[in-house]
Amino acid sequence: MDLVPRFRDCCGNCPGSEVSKCTIELITAGQNVDEDSDLDMSWADNSFWTKQMDRELVAWTSEHPSDWSCPIDVYMAGCSQSGQLAEATAAYKNIPVGIESMALLQPKQVLCGSMCTIVLADDGSVHSCGKGEYGRLGTGSSDNQYTLMQLPSIQNVVMKQIAVSKGSYGHALAIDEAGGIWSWGDGDYGKLGHGNTTQSNKPKLIESMRRNVTFVSCGFKHSACITSDGELYTWGMGDYGRLGHGDSNDSHNAPKLVDRFAGQNVIQVSCGSSHTMALTDDNTTWSWGDGDYGKLGHGDTNMKSTPTKIEMLSCNQIKKIDTGEESCNQIKKIDTGEEFSLCLTENGRVLTWGRFNSNVLGHGEDGHLHVPLIINALEEVHIIDVSAGASHCLALSDDYNVYAWGNNEEGQLGFGHKNAVTVPQLVEYFKNRNIAKFQLVLLTLRCGQLKQASVKWFLCHYQVQYQKNIEIFKKFPLKAITHRLAVLQRFSDMILSNLQFCDFEELGESLGLDEIPEFLLSKSKRNVFRKQLSKTTFFDGDTTIQLDGCIDDIFTATFLQLSTLDPKELRGSFRPYKIRYDGDIVEEYDSIQEECMDQLQAGSAGLLCRTQNGVNKKGLNQDVYIFSEDNIDSKSAKFRFLGRLLGISIRTKLPLKLHLAYAAFKLIAGGSLDINDLRDLDICFVEKIEMINSTLSWEEICEKNLEFLPVTDGSIVIELKSETRKEYADLALAQRLKAWDRQAAWVRDGIKDIVPVPLFAVLTGKDLEEYISMPLSADSSIWEDLSKSCTVVDFPGPGTPEDGQKDSDILHVHPVLQWFWDAVEKLTPYEKKLFCQFVAGTTRPLWDQLTITFCPETTNTPITLRAPCSLLMPNFETKYQLIERLHCAIHATDSE
């Protein structure tokens, strides 16, 4: 019985969650599912749901994360003269453009500030691009950044909210998971909160607000935050009373409590250019600061130096501009622009007031508004989110359409022109999209200052594919699978939150807990791991090593200078040490890591060697490395130092181009190898053992003329004879499986020198491979070279080449080839690795050796190999059929 998932309207809580919380209808081929059946409730019954199924489900979430997440596409519009549109700068044409680098982060927030863009990723890391002046990007430099860059100094700090100023010289705030505030950028007027007016080009923790902050907002020249107790703090420029302390023009360079809200619970705050708004939990809206143009909403233009209630927003005072009809509503959201304010009510009405300039109020009539009024142009739609830029606005309706209005001098509204828009208009770019499949959600929509990149949309595609190739789950309804994953999520959270109170590595095996790491979700481990790392970070010191300009063994040269150092001094989050070349040039440590890894894999230091599969050119993993077995007793210190380098890569989030076999990572994680792991390293040895244990006669084995070296058991030497077959095979296999245990243990000790956290005990080999080794998908140019580098045979061309066009260019436009290129490009990182294993028995592509031969006489048959790197391509009728066959082929490799 085939089950087909169909999704109802999303609850809105899906982005960033491990399991989609969408309501799911299950449709079967020919019959309905009984939701009360035993099978549907199997997720709660371990007699139905086995350990192996849980292992497979955890593997599913890590190897195919897109099946269980909500992919987010990020679109932006506006000026990008300083790089604030990231890689889309050259492609911008006054309409929304996709920003792939931001989408890949699965962002929680994308904020457009003063000539910059700040992104909060799903894993809590912060990234930025745009104008670097005054340190507004937080990258440690004042240089412009034209591609998205992670903020290195806080890469091990998990952030949960960010805010950015829409004007002035630019500054930003971020809240970490402990509730502390970090700030960076322009420090004029003390708006960074560090007790001075100094700018900072990298995030710095505000010492007076280290805990319990839940919400932050950046104005042009001041800042504000809310604590878990509902207290409001403000700091920065104080003129016009914008800080709300009653001292009018006094500035404050550190957070100060706003006494007016004593005994009340503030839940939202928004800082404009020279005024501030707040919302309390009793549905009261407050404003203070400069009253010009009526932007405080009190019916006048007077300044207020302390928070004052906006009476016109009380429950019985909200009115439409034309009829005066009253509307009783709760306030859902408040926001401020440069010289205006807005709010959104629970029943979907948008109100604006303040300065009319740039048509930002959306009423289509000239004149400033001194009181909040409903925008009539949005009366027929239900608005669920709004955002105010410096001089333009965006709104999202419950049918997932975007409306925009206000200043449009740089095309920031996304209409394809630069004309001002006086009343909210539908952004046509999304009008004809398949809303049944895509839902448009503004998670945290923020617009930048005039002439800045300012508009972005999040397209959330909720898609949990029911994987027919995972046999183990075929009989279970999707609802049961998602419920079981929720159980595993809860289990992971409980174990990980209490791990710091137990020496898991010491007690795990004795208490029978050694299997637990296999059932912990990798995303949960990653988030907790980063938190623990941040607590053991050592300051980035001035340790410097000396290297000659040309050196054949960087690893040994580094080892000799750093191995005696206290490992604590190498626990920097960004720069554990520097390199000085020829006594003069100083560079960061990561500048030599790629060359160092290349030398290690080429044999320097004698620590690594190619797998026997690679030596024999047979089996899988022919291009990866394992620990050397030669003279290892003399190399224990070097193996431990190799572990320290791996630990540094984990701590700094800078993966290495180190192509270790998965078996090596499994051993480093404390696991043991089995015969399947050995098959991936030395298939010839495994085949010999299997032959010895087979039903072949002794004479038949001897006829193979294979070499079988004696094995020793203590002082006893065992040679392969007819009467010792089983004893020899068992001992040879056992010894081979233990051949790399000591090397891995030394490497593990080295990692623990740099990563001394309890969670390390529950990391699996797959976790370590992800943290340490640069993923195959990280180098997109490798996959772009596929269609250019391989050889295609027997594909018919469409005609005679035009002037300057090569024959190969014509061959590559054949539809089957185009479908193939597209299908390979869209494979997940894990599937790309499987694809390489399928084609060449390697973990990385060998495009220049790949030949694709067209077989027009076969239709929709499996994709097969004539020989390694020689692919036979049937004449598929549709792209879908090709994709299905490709997935079957590569996943068959995974199951071997």
Side-chain angles (χ1 to χ4, degrees):
M1 179 174 64
D2 288 332
L3 298 176
V4 182
R6 185 178 71 197
F7 296 92
R8 297 177 183 157
D9 290 340
C10 176
C11 63
N13 295 321
C14 293
S17 62
E18 187 76 43
V19 184
S20 173
K21 298 183 178 67
C22 297
T23 304
I24 301 173
E25 296 177 289
L26 291 170
I27 306 167
T28 65
Q31 69 180 90
N32 294 324
V33 175
D34 179 10
E35 294 193 354
D36 295 326
S37 66
D38 291 339
L39 197 59
D40 194 58
M41 291 299 295
S42 61
W43 60 271
D45 187 347
N46 287 338
S47 65
F48 277 95
W49 204 280
T50 65
K51 284 184 178 181
Q52 183 57 29
M53 292 171 65
D54 279 334
R55 290 188 184 96
E56 293 292 338
L57 187 53
V58 170
W60 185 357
T61 62
S62 63
E63 294 166 3
H64 301 274
S66 60
D67 294 345
W68 296 101
S69 62
C70 307
I72 298 174
D73 292 335
V74 179
Y75 290 82
M76 300 180 71
C79 176
S80 187
Q81 60 187 4
S82 300
Q84 54 266 57
L85 291 190
E87 71 271 13
T89 299
Y92 176 62
K93 295 181 180 178
N94 293 335
I95 59 174
V97 290
I99 315 295
E100 184 178 3
S101 61
M102 297 181 188
L104 290 174
L105 297 173
Q106 294 293 283
K108 296 179 179 179
Q109 291 178 268
V110 177
L111 307 187
C112 299
S114 175
M115 306 184 76
C116 66
T117 302
I118 313 292
V119 180
L120 176 62
D122 181 55
D123 65 358
S125 59
V126 182
H127 306 248
S128 65
C129 61
K131 192 174 185 67
E133 190 179 18
Y134 299 103
R136 74 189 78 194
L137 299 183
T139 58
S141 167
S142 294
D143 297 335
N144 291 358
Q145 186 66 35
Y146 292 89
T147 57
L148 202 62
M149 178 180 179
Q150 183 176 352
L151 276 58
S153 65
I154 54 169
Q155 56 186 339
N156 287 320
V157 182
V158 178
M159 299 298 180
K160 60 182 182 180
Q161 191 215 334
I162 55 176
V164 62
S165 62
K166 305 167 189 175
S168 190
Y169 300 124
H171 74 292
L173 302 173
I175 306 176
D176 63 33
E177 288 205 322
I181 308 180
W182 302 68
S183 64
W184 64 94
D186 175 45
D188 282 355
Y189 316 108
K191 61 190 174 188
L192 296 186
H194 300 303
N196 54 47
T197 59
T198 305
Q199 73 180 48
S200 176
N201 59 18
K202 61 182 180 180
K204 182 179 178 182
L205 182 65
I206 299 178
E207 293 296 332
S208 62
M209 302 296 296
R210 297 180 67 92
R211 290 188 177 278
N212 302 322
V213 174
T214 60
F215 193 91
V216 287
S217 178
C218 294
F220 284 37
K221 299 178 180 180
H222 70 299
S223 306
C225 74
I226 301 172
T227 68
S228 56
D229 296 325
E231 295 178 330
L232 176 67
Y233 290 78
T234 60
W235 61 98
M237 176 178 273
D239 62 351
Y240 301 108
R242 75 189 79 191
L243 299 183
H245 300 303
D247 45 14
S248 186
N249 294 325
D250 290 349
S251 296
H252 295 272
N253 55 24
K256 181 179 179 181
L257 179 67
V258 179
D259 295 328
R260 178 65 179 81
F261 292 111
Q264 300 187 68
N265 187 20
V266 180
I267 57 176
Q268 289 184 43
V269 64
S270 180
C271 299
S273 173
S274 56
H275 73 296
T276 310
M277 287 179 62
L279 178 67
T280 50
D281 62 356
D282 61 356
N283 194 44
T284 302
T285 306
W286 308 74
S287 66
W288 60 97
D290 178 28
D292 283 355
Y293 313 108
K295 58 180 175 280
L296 297 185
H298 301 301
D300 54 38
T301 60
N302 297 330
M303 179 192 78
K304 308 290 184 183
S305 60
T306 57
T308 304
K309 183 187 301 185
I310 303 179
E311 297 293 344
M312 297 295 290
L313 288 180
S314 60
C315 189
N316 61 352
Q317 290 292 323
I318 298 177
K319 298 182 179 181
K320 296 182 181 178
I321 192 170
D322 54 350
T323 65
E325 179 184 345
E326 294 180 351
S327 177
C328 181
N329 286 294
Q330 295 284 104
I331 302 300
K332 180 178 181 180
K333 183 178 181 179
I334 58 173
D335 207 349
T336 55
E338 183 175 11
E339 297 284 358
F340 73 99
S341 307
L342 65 75
C343 70
L344 172 67
T345 65
E346 288 288 353
N347 76 336
R349 296 290 174 257
V350 181
L351 297 90
T352 59
W353 61 99
R355 190 175 186 180
F356 169 76
N357 292 42
S358 303
N359 309 290
V360 73
L361 299 184
H363 298 293
E365 296 183 3
D366 293 336
H368 313 310
L369 292 176
H370 295 177
V371 292
L373 292 171
I374 294 174
I375 298 179
N376 288 341
L378 295 174
E379 183 181 2
E380 300 301 322
V381 294
H382 184 95
I383 301 301
I384 59 175
D385 203 353
V386 291
S387 182
S391 57
H392 66 288
C393 298
L394 298 176
L396 175 70
S397 63
D398 61 356
D399 57 356
Y400 307 108
N401 282 317
V402 175
Y403 296 83
W405 66 97
N407 189 294
N408 194 32
E409 287 186 5
E410 297 295 336
Q412 60 262 50
L413 298 184
F415 291 116
H417 61 73
K418 296 185 178 181
N419 302 323
V421 178
T422 61
V423 295
Q425 292 184 16
L426 177 69
V427 180
E428 296 289 338
Y429 184 85
F430 296 109
K431 183 177 180 180
N432 295 320
R433 292 188 178 265
N434 185 357
I435 299 302
K437 201 170 185 180
F438 291 86
Q439 296 191 357
L440 187 145
V441 180
L442 281 72
L443 298 179
T444 307
L445 187 64
R446 294 290 184 198
C447 314
Q449 191 184 16
L450 170 63
K451 297 186 179 181
Q452 313 312 319
S454 52
V455 183
K456 99 241 131 277
W457 295 271
F458 296 90
L459 282 175
C460 299
H461 182 193
Y462 301 108
Q463 180 182 8
V464 179
Q465 299 177 354
Y466 191 66
Q467 300 285 321
K468 293 293 192 283
N469 59 310
I470 301 182
E471 293 289 334
I472 201 167
F473 298 120
K474 277 190 174 180
K475 66 179 181 178
F476 290 93
L478 182 61
K479 182 177 180 180
I481 297 173
T482 55
H483 278 29
R484 186 65 179 192
L485 185 58
V487 171
L488 289 172
Q489 176 75 67
R490 178 59 177 161
F491 174 74
S492 298
D493 293 342
M494 291 176 62
I495 292 293
L496 295 171
S497 63
N498 291 284
L499 193 61
Q500 58 185 315
F501 305 112
C502 172
D503 191 339
F504 189 90
E505 189 166 17
E506 189 72 26
L507 301 175
E509 186 173 354
S510 62
L511 296 178
L513 304 177
D514 49 309
E515 288 184 288
I516 282 182
E518 302 176 38
F519 304 107
L520 303 179
L521 297 179
S522 59
K523 182 177 179 181
S524 297
K525 283 191 281 189
R526 183 167 56 250
N527 291 340
V528 176
F529 191 52
R530 290 300 169 196
K531 294 180 198 174
Q532 292 188 351
L533 274 184
S534 65
K535 297 176 182 178
T536 61
T537 298
F538 197 74
F539 63 87
D540 291 328
D542 296 323
T543 302
T544 303
I545 64 173
Q546 175 70 45
L547 295 179
D548 295 331
C550 181
I551 187 169
D552 296 329
D553 191 350
I554 293 175
F555 176 86
T556 299
T558 307
F559 163 76
L560 292 174
Q561 298 180 64
L562 293 179
S563 59
T564 59
L565 201 66
D566 186 337
K568 289 182 180 179
E569 297 186 40
L570 297 177
R571 294 178 190 168
S573 62
F574 174 56
R575 188 186 60 215
Y577 60 89
K578 294 180 180 180
I579 301 98
R580 185 185 301 277
Y581 284 103
D582 298 323
D584 186 21
I585 303 174
V586 177
E587 295 187 12
E588 299 295 344
Y589 94 102
D590 57 315
S591 64
I592 62 168
Q593 293 310 309
E594 183 173 347
E595 185 178 0
C596 180
M597 294 302 110
D598 287 342
Q599 291 178 359
L600 276 176
Q601 291 165 151
S604 73
L607 300 183
L608 303 177
C609 62
R610 193 176 288 271
T611 64
Q612 280 301 117
N613 283 356
V615 173
N616 298 327
K617 299 296 181 184
K618 183 177 181 181
L620 303 178
N621 298 310
Q622 296 179 24
D623 61 337
V624 296
Y625 297 82
I626 191 65
F627 304 123
S628 171
E629 300 173 62
D630 297 333
N631 303 316
I632 63 171
D633 289 325
S634 64
K635 301 174 183 175
S636 61
K638 285 190 174 182
F639 275 112
R640 183 162 188 154
F641 187 71
L642 174 61
R644 290 187 180 183
L645 293 185
L646 303 189
I648 289 172
S649 74
I650 294 174
R651 183 175 284 280
T652 60
K653 288 188 182 179
L654 295 173
L656 301 170
K657 285 193 174 181
L658 179 63
H659 307 300
L660 282 181
Y662 168 70
F665 289 111
K666 184 176 181 180
L667 287 171
I668 295 172
S672 300
L673 301 188
D674 56 33
I675 194 168
N676 290 322
D677 297 316
L678 194 56
R679 193 186 307 274
D680 290 341
L681 299 174
D682 191 351
I683 192 172
C684 292
F685 175 85
V686 172
E687 289 176 344
K688 286 182 181 181
I689 297 298
E690 290 176 338
M691 182 180 65
I692 295 172
N693 287 327
S694 71
T695 58
L696 289 177
S697 66
W698 177 246
E699 290 74 17
E700 289 174 315
I701 292 177
C702 293
E703 289 174 359
K704 301 290 185 180
N705 291 320
L706 299 176
E707 182 181 12
F708 295 95
L709 297 177
V711 295
T712 59
D713 184 7
S715 60
I716 302 174
V717 178
I718 301 175
E719 295 185 355
L720 180 61
K721 300 178 181 179
S722 175
E723 62 273 17
T724 62
R725 285 174 63 173
K726 185 177 188 313
E727 183 182 7
Y728 178 93
D730 290 347
L731 183 58
L733 179 59
Q735 290 183 352
R736 192 65 178 145
L737 290 174
K738 297 289 185 180
W740 305 281
D741 283 7
R742 286 200 295 162
Q743 301 93 309
W746 291 327
V747 173
R748 179 181 176 86
D749 288 341
I751 295 178
K752 290 166 65 177
D753 287 340
I754 309 300
V755 186
V757 296
L759 184 61
F760 189 76
V762 295
L763 295 182
T764 64
K766 288 184 178 179
D767 295 326
L768 289 178
E769 185 177 32
E770 177 187 347
Y771 297 164
I772 293 170
S773 185
M774 183 172 293
L776 183 62
S777 58
D779 189 352
S780 60
S781 62
I782 293 179
W783 299 95
E784 293 171 357
D785 289 341
L786 169 58
S787 61
K788 304 172 186 176
S789 304
C790 70
T791 302
V792 293
V793 179
D794 294 339
F795 280 89
T800 305
E802 298 177 2
D803 292 341
Q805 188 178 32
K806 300 178 181 179
D807 290 341
S808 60
D809 294 333
I810 285 191
L811 293 177
H812 283 74
V813 301
H814 191 281
V816 172
L817 269 178
Q818 289 292 336
W819 296 340
F820 180 68
W821 308 145
D822 292 344
V824 171
E825 184 180 356
K826 289 180 171 61
L827 293 175
T828 66
Y830 176 73
E831 289 172 332
K832 286 180 177 178
K833 183 176 179 179
L834 292 182
F835 176 79
C836 295
Q837 296 276 30
F838 166 65
V839 170
T842 61
T843 61
R844 298 184 302 284
L846 301 173
W847 300 147
D848 57 338
Q849 301 178 28
L850 177 62
T851 299
I852 304 176
T853 303
F854 189 52
C855 303
E857 68 279 1
T858 59
T859 304
N860 302 329
T861 56
I863 299 174
T864 57
L865 289 173
R866 174 184 291 165
C869 292
S870 181
L871 204 63
L872 298 178
M873 183 66 65
N875 187 20
F876 291 102
E877 296 178 352
T878 67
K879 183 177 180 178
Y880 174 78
Q881 291 169 338
L882 183 148
I883 292 174
E884 184 180 35
R885 294 295 186 178
L886 177 63
H887 278 79
C888 288
I890 64 175
H891 283 284
T893 303
D894 189 30
S895 61
E896 292 177 356

